[in-house]
Amino acid sequence: HLHVHTDYSMLDGAQRCSDTVAQAVKFGMPAVAVTDHGNMSACYEIIQEAGKKNIKPVLGCELYVAPGSCLVKDNSLPHHQGYHLVCLAENYQGYVNLCHLNEEAWLRGFYYKPRVDKDLLRKYHQGIIALSACLGGEIPSLLERNREEDAEITLLEYLDIFGKENFFVELQDHGLEAQKTVNPKLIALAKKHAIGLVVTNDS
């Protein structure tokens, strides 16, 4: 499973890493990710717990991407707290780059949330697989507001940053009306550009 919040996601996740691994074992999953909001604090713990059960840990983070430069701190701007973007370390280089992104987010980009921007994503994209995220992601958010052309431009921008093999359109279905509207548009966009689809649960 590739979209999981542990108790390191303040006010969102409640499950400990040991419980996450236990669920993966119960469901017969060979691997499980941790993608906490704006931090990678669970990485050490998930490695330790997953190792006990022969489960592969996938280290990741749900980043907050500022609408422009993360150095601009202006709460009158739409989405100033950042759009969601799920990033997973494909390899050691990806892990190192996620650490760099988190450092930038907390030390320089912090404004309400620890934020990065697309310039930083371009700088540290190597070894990272990105998912378009939940309704809080930039592409789903644009589609929800019927801005299909802007959503497509944004998709192409992310493809340029991560590469076609390392960016996936993410689908979720929690019975929300917005998801019923957005998901068919996401599928159509993925098919148009021959991009992989990933089905997750905002766990």
Side-chain angles (χ1 to χ4, degrees):
H1 194 71
L2 299 176
H3 191 137
V4 180
H5 297 293
T6 71
D7 53 357
Y8 288 98
S9 284
M10 295 298 288
L11 304 178
D12 192 13
Q15 186 162 250
R16 293 181 175 88
C17 289
S18 56
D19 298 325
T20 299
V21 170
Q23 283 294 94
V25 171
K26 181 180 177 181
F27 295 146
M29 295 177 176
V32 67
V34 286
T35 55
D36 285 309
H37 281 294
N39 77 83
M40 296 173 66
S41 301
C43 287
Y44 176 78
E45 192 174 336
I46 198 71
I47 288 170
Q48 299 300 307
E49 294 297 330
K52 297 174 187 176
K53 302 292 184 180
N54 200 30
I55 297 289
K56 180 179 179 178
V58 180
L59 307 180
C61 180
E62 188 165 7
L63 297 173
Y64 297 100
V65 183
S69 169
C70 65
L71 301 178
V72 175
K73 299 174 180 181
D74 180 356
N75 63 11
S76 70
L77 295 174
H79 303 282
H80 58 271
Q81 294 187 33
Y83 294 103
H84 296 190
L85 183 72
V86 175
C87 289
L88 307 164
E90 182 181 20
N91 48 37
Y92 180 72
Q93 183 63 57
Y95 168 75
V96 170
N97 280 334
L98 277 178
C99 289
H100 283 308
L101 287 166
N102 271 274
E103 177 187 23
E104 293 286 346
W106 282 95
L107 296 183
R108 281 166 282 280
F110 194 97
Y111 187 60
Y112 290 85
K113 308 278 187 181
R115 308 174 309 156
V116 297
D117 56 33
K118 287 174 185 167
D119 285 342
L120 286 170
L121 292 175
R122 288 183 192 281
K123 184 176 180 180
Y124 295 115
H125 74 276
Q126 288 186 327
I128 293 175
I129 294 172
L131 314 180
S132 61
C134 55
L135 291 171
E138 187 172 5
I139 296 168
S141 177
L142 288 166
L143 290 174
E144 187 179 355
R145 289 175 280 152
N146 297 313
R147 292 173 56 186
E148 281 81 359
E149 189 175 333
D150 290 334
E152 187 166 10
I153 290 169
T154 302
L155 172 64
L156 293 174
E157 193 173 10
Y158 279 117
L159 291 178
D160 184 58
I161 292 170
F162 293 103
K164 202 168 186 177
E165 301 302 315
N166 278 48
F167 187 82
F168 292 82
V169 170
E170 183 175 354
L171 297 175
Q172 297 181 345
D173 185 0
H174 305 106
L176 302 175
E177 286 303 315
Q179 287 171 333
K180 293 175 185 177
T181 302
V182 168
N183 281 352
K185 295 179 182 180
L186 286 170
I187 293 168
L189 206 52
K191 284 183 177 179
K192 180 177 179 179
H193 294 280
I195 305 162
L197 287 163
V198 174
V199 178
T200 71
N201 184 15
D202 204 341
S203 172

